Amino acid sequence: MPKPTNAGRWKRALFSLIGPSRGRDLLAGIVRKRVEKTAPFAFPIDGTSFRKVLIIFPADRVQALCQVENAASLIKVFSNAQVSLLVETPVAPLAKMIGFGEIVEYLPEEKRLFSPGLAGLNDRFTGAVDCCCLLARDEDLPLNYLTGLTGARLRAGYGGAADFPFINLRINPDSANRYLPESNCAMAEAFGAPPGGRRAWSPPASTSADVERLLREVRLDSAVRLFGIDVLPLYKLFGGRGAEECISALMTSVDGGVYFFCGEAPPRAIAQRLAALVAPVLPVLTIPQTAALLRRTACIVSGKSLFFGLATLLGIKAVGIFTEKDLPLYCKPSSTVKGVSCSGEGRDTESVASLVAAIRELGNR
């Protein structure tokens, strides 16, 4: 990683002093000068006319997973192009799921305005691509700035996340379909990709062997149906006591081997509580290992997490617990997926009962 420079620190300090609104205007002015002589694009957009394309993934892993299908469809449209996928290092395994395109990684700490890392990315892509697709759905000013500085003839982004001059093609998905993995594909459809059609994906065989070895180590019989509980979203939604009551109710409602999944190392207090229960707590797994674990699992309960998103992508039976706001964004009910809403304000016996009922319904199918 490039070493920080005093110039970058001074610029960030100045940016902080003038405030976000004036700072955004300052960046917009720099971008406007860069793109003022850029040749216009015309409708309908011909994806095959582009030769070098940059696709920028959002930094959040859950949001990035919700963009995998959209990015895969875009790459198909750009059939004549050299495509680069720009991702934060933690997101790289999700980009690799697509199986196409050069993957360019940067560390999270490098994504700061005027940092040497971001300056290096700006230098790499300025004038080097003729199309740039920014996949972030929320404003991310360093990524907006990078998108604008490419000077690409076509710079696409979602309304609400970026605007001119950072982008010059604003995508506004259909508000009637809020489910993000489908709603996000409005960008690919704007480039001529046909709607619908999910990609099949399987984890590498080597990671499947790693997971089988792990299950043996925690004494989960490979012949037994496995049920996974993603515990951290439950603690976040229900609090300590409420989450433990929920976990207890779930464990008594399923047949087979139960394991506790944690997408990241749990706080010490939660780890101690989980250790007192009879089910094993699995170590933090890589994304491919998590996918391989899901392939071995009959059903899971989770929340707004990578675990739930991967399960739905892989066609694993899943019950999700979400706030009312998040439910339509991350959960689309089907024969293998059920969603339950909760207030997100602590103990909720009604939501726990709905979770148990949904698990039992999926388990009987």
Side-chain angles (χ1 to χ4, degrees), residues 45 55 57-58 63-78 98 133-137 156-159 169-175 177-199 313 329 332:
I45 300 169
I55 298 177
F57 271 77
Q63 299 303 320
L65 180 62
C66 291
Q67 288 285 0
V68 166
E69 293 181 42
N70 177 47
S73 296
L74 283 168
I75 290 174
K76 286 184 178 180
V77 171
F78 301 135
I98 299 171
C133 296
L134 175 61
L135 305 190
R137 290 291 294 262
Y158 296 98
L169 175 62
R170 181 171 176 165
I171 306 298
N172 293 311
D174 183 0
S175 59
N177 184 3
R178 298 174 62 194
Y179 182 52
L180 286 176
E182 293 179 356
S183 175
N184 288 337
C185 289
M187 182 177 291
E189 291 166 16
F191 281 86
R198 305 198 70 173
R199 288 172 52 86
L313 185 67
L329 301 179
K332 183 177 181 179

